[in-house]
Amino acid sequence: KASVNWSPPVWLPDERRGKNQQTPDLSALIQEVVDQSDWKEGNALVLIITSASQQTGERDAISFDRGGMHYGPMLHVEAN
């Protein structure tokens, strides 16, 4: 199974989305899903972000509904 390591820097709860909130390249994760024989265009895709270490901490993220377009999550896809 594909995985991606991500060690985000600290960010403030009221920060707009920006470089501190960006994940590394997740294309290997997406590719693993869409390469499955039963994958069909239009299927839902969920990525779950968890901590693999014993470290504790949290990052606050604001949803689009609560924060509007400057705070909500954004998926950016580039074709090669």
Side-chain angles (χ1 to χ4, degrees):
K1 293 187 174 199
S3 66
V4 175
N5 291 323
W6 180 35
S7 297
V10 173
W11 70 68
L12 301 174
D14 61 345
E15 276 189 74
R16 293 178 178 216
R17 65 176 177 235
K19 187 164 180 65
N20 283 352
Q21 292 80 23
Q22 290 178 0
T23 66
D25 183 353
L26 301 176
S27 61
L29 302 178
I30 307 295
Q31 195 65 57
E32 184 175 296
V33 172
V34 300
D35 283 347
Q36 295 177 22
S37 61
D38 59 347
W39 173 261
K40 303 285 186 258
E41 183 177 334
N43 283 3
L45 174 73
V46 175
L47 301 176
I48 299 173
I49 299 172
T50 61
S51 175
S53 72
Q54 298 301 317
Q55 295 177 339
T56 60
E58 67 180 63
R59 299 291 191 270
D60 292 324
I62 298 172
S63 69
F64 178 85
D65 290 343
R66 184 171 144 219
M69 64 183 257
H70 297 293
Y71 294 96
M74 178 178 67
L75 175 63
H76 178 83
V77 179
E78 292 182 18
N80 289 337

